[in-house]
Amino acid sequence: VVSVAMSGDATISGTGVLTLAADSVVTTNITDANVTVAKVSTDLKADTKEITVSFETGEVGAGYKIRMSYPGSITNIYASATKALAATDAGTITIKDNAGTTMTVTTPISFAASDAIGTAYSSAVTANNTFVDGDILTLTSAKATVGGKALVTLEILRS
């Protein structure tokens, strides 16, 4: 056995503990596809998808579809009126998973009659909210008397 001193970006203690120097691991040291979503910080896992949902004639109740291109879960739903709601009754938005099961929210997304442009509602999504690459999520609108539109933002945590 020949004993030599280490040099470069690593040191080793007398007990065999190897330590890498700060900033010594660079992109060329990482094999492609070896940094996974599980290894990154939560802020890098966060994403959003937006879709317009309508309460207008011929559009209320329609199944507005979003195809997911990676696995994850919906953590929050936020909806903002982009056209004032008709003054007759409330308008609700429901989100369903790929199997058609309604996602559980802490507070239903329900616009009041006459809500103005910019009125917004938000709710945490707590169950039936996971999806895989290729799943189709469906949003539906409901309003007895038509009138109004909303931009819905789905907050997502990639997995």
Side-chain angles (χ1 to χ4, degrees), residues 13-93:
S13 71
T15 59
V17 176
L18 180 71
T19 303
L20 295 174
D23 300 321
S24 64
V25 177
V26 295
T27 302
T28 57
N29 298 119
I30 302 170
T31 305
D32 289 348
N34 279 328
V35 176
T36 63
V37 172
K39 299 293 182 188
V40 298
S41 63
T42 300
D43 59 331
L44 292 175
K45 295 177 190 179
D47 196 7
T48 59
K49 299 263 187 208
E50 293 181 335
I51 188 168
T52 299
V53 174
S54 177
F55 301 104
E56 296 290 307
T57 301
E59 298 172 357
V60 70
Y64 298 92
K65 311 267 186 200
I66 297 178
R67 183 186 182 282
M68 305 310 292
S69 57
Y70 49 80
S73 60
I74 305 298
T75 58
N76 196 63
I77 182 171
Y78 177 87
S80 177
T82 56
K83 181 178 180 185
L85 266 70
T88 51
D89 54 358
T92 60
I93 297 171

Side-chain angles (χ1 to χ4, degrees), residues 80-132:
S80 177
T82 56
K83 181 178 180 185
L85 266 70
T88 51
D89 54 358
T92 60
I93 297 171
T94 305
I95 182 171
K96 296 181 181 183
D97 67 10
N98 193 67
T101 304
T102 300
M103 294 186 187
T104 304
V105 294
T106 55
T107 306
I109 300 296
S110 183
F111 287 90
S114 299
D115 268 350
I117 292 173
T119 303
Y121 297 93
S122 182
S123 181
V125 183
T126 59
N128 305 316
N129 57 336
T130 60
F131 56 85
V132 298

